[in-house]
Amino acid sequence: MARRIAAEQRIRNLNERTFLNNLTPTTGSHHLRLEEFWHLLDVTGAKHPLHVVARQRSQLVAPVPDPEAVSMSALFGAFSLRKREITETQELVYSVLERKQPFSSIAARESLLREVYEDFCESISILLKLQTITPNLKNVESRIWQQNAAMRLYHCTQAVSEFAVHHSNELIHDSLLPANRVQRLRSPEESGRLSLRHFLQLLEKDSGGRLLEALLESLGFKSYPLPPLTWQPTHSNLMDSYSDLEQRQADTISRIRGALDDGVITVDELKDIRQELEEEYQAEVTLIMSLPVIHSMSEP
């Protein structure tokens, strides 16, 4: 991958060996830079790192569909995969519910919550693609995504520069970055050289979410706020509540399949399915969070 990035001359004066050291650091002096991280995601199309940072900011993410690349046959394939993945997650939840001690650690619970989150993101992605091929429906568009890699990276690094300008005093006061480094970040090109570690710290400080939005837009993704967790169990027995939820999920899958079979979906249907997916996500997360964690001695 480093060789491909170098061959395409995506990064000026890229040293392949240094890049590989930054990818797999063996000392504290090696840090992946923002521009290296960005090109890596752009070339590989990796979603997982974006899921991680977006979920921490209570956002779901889905790729902006390319109308020329979306077809009904591709949608049926994506839908079949989606059904299989949802079934696998349901089996995982059932296995947890059947245990006397549901989770052995916070990490174990977090792993299952991540599966649920990724299921939700992929389901929304299918809805966006279905919306794209349905006549008379407004498609999700991204003018940024239609630009070349250099311009899209600039969109991301420019947001970093603007953030540094507006929050320079705060960044220096909190000792996040030295004053001379903050000053250099006024240049979008210099912002691309910011270490990934520092960029992630800026994401944490950006309460408005503009940095995350710019990163996602530049890589062809759209973000939406995650729904609030307002669901209440339908039964005192959590297994019975989950059985009800599983039936709702099956009904929603049937509705999506029906829209695929018809090759058309109305605005109202799209809105109803989206609402149902959001409620199912709330329910599954709330149910999992209600289960006890038995802390191991190694956990704080």
Side-chain angles (χ1 to χ4, degrees):
M1 199 54 60
R3 201 162 289 165
R4 177 178 168 185
I5 291 173
E8 294 180 2
Q9 298 182 335
R10 283 172 166 255
I11 302 175
R12 185 186 305 172
N13 300 324
L14 174 68
N15 182 291
E16 187 179 327
R17 181 173 299 220
T18 302
F19 181 44
L20 290 173
N21 283 339
N22 292 342
L23 276 175
T24 55
T26 54
T27 72
S29 62
H30 291 111
H31 294 291
L32 196 66
R33 297 183 304 187
L34 171 59
E35 62 178 355
E36 293 170 338
F37 174 67
W38 189 94
H39 282 294
L40 199 61
L41 294 182
D42 192 48
V43 169
T44 61
K47 296 178 184 177
H48 179 68
L50 297 180
H51 282 164
V52 171
V53 294
R55 183 168 163 249
Q56 288 176 343
R57 305 296 296 169
S58 299
Q59 297 283 310
L60 75 89
V61 294
V64 177
D66 179 358
E68 296 181 2
V70 177
S71 66
M72 189 56 72
S73 59
L75 264 178
F76 271 112
F79 176 74
S80 297
L81 177 61
R82 187 90 297 280
K83 275 185 66 178
R84 189 159 63 248
E85 289 173 342
I86 288 175
T87 300
E88 290 172 357
T89 303
Q90 288 173 338
E91 290 172 354
L92 285 173
V93 175
Y94 265 122
S95 69
V96 167
L97 287 171
E98 288 172 344
R99 297 179 201 152
K100 290 183 179 179
Q101 298 179 351
F103 295 110
S104 59
S105 65
I106 292 176
R109 184 176 68 186
E110 191 63 19
S111 177
L112 184 53
L113 288 170
R114 187 171 60 248
E115 291 286 344
V116 172
Y117 171 82
E118 292 180 353
D119 281 347
F120 184 35
C121 289
E122 293 302 321
S123 294
I124 295 299
S125 177
I126 287 181
L127 280 193
L128 294 180
K129 290 176 181 176
L130 184 56
Q131 178 178 339
T132 298
I133 63 173
T134 300
N136 303 321
L137 282 185
K138 184 179 179 182
N139 294 330
V140 178
E141 296 178 349
S142 173
R143 287 174 291 177
I144 298 162
W145 178 235
Q146 297 167 356
Q147 298 174 352
N148 62 33
M151 290 303 298
R152 289 186 288 112
L153 174 60
Y154 181 82
H155 177 73
C156 178
T157 56
Q158 185 181 37
V160 175
S161 294
E162 291 172 354
F163 183 82
V165 168
H166 291 118
H167 299 272
S168 57
N169 292 336
E170 182 183 346
L171 295 177
I172 296 168
H173 179 268
D174 293 346
S175 300
L176 186 62
L177 291 168
N180 62 340
R181 190 76 176 96
V182 172
Q183 185 66 27
R184 291 203 304 272
L185 287 182
R186 293 172 180 270
S187 159
E189 185 175 358
E190 188 65 31
S191 292
R193 300 190 183 101
L194 184 69
S195 73
L196 177 59
R197 177 170 62 88
H198 282 135
F199 174 68
L200 293 176
Q201 289 175 336
L202 294 186
L203 281 182
E204 284 294 315
K205 294 194 74 67
D206 181 20
S207 57
R210 177 58 194 142
L211 291 180
L212 176 61
E213 182 183 31
L215 173 66
L216 294 172
E217 286 175 342
S218 68
L219 291 165
F221 286 79
K222 180 77 175 171
S223 63
Y224 306 89
L226 283 174
L229 302 180
T230 57
W231 178 82
Q232 296 294 325
T234 52
H235 301 277
S236 57
N237 183 293
L238 289 181
M239 187 69 83
D240 291 339
S241 292
Y242 192 68
S243 294
D244 288 350
L245 174 59
E246 187 181 38
Q247 183 57 55
R248 287 181 63 178
Q249 289 175 320
D251 292 341
T252 304
I253 288 173
S254 295
R255 292 188 67 181
I256 296 174
R257 176 59 195 245
L260 288 173
D261 288 338
D262 296 340
V264 66
I265 187 169
T266 67
V267 174
D268 287 341
E269 284 178 320
L270 196 65
K271 196 177 296 183
D272 288 348
I273 293 174
R274 173 70 174 264
Q275 179 68 30
E276 189 58 39
L277 287 172
E278 290 184 355
E279 291 177 4
E280 289 164 11
Y281 172 77
Q282 291 179 49
E284 205 159 13
V285 170
T286 304
L287 188 145
I288 292 169
M289 290 295 292
S290 70
L291 297 173
V293 175
I294 308 302
H295 294 277
S296 65
M297 295 297 293
S298 61
E299 283 198 322

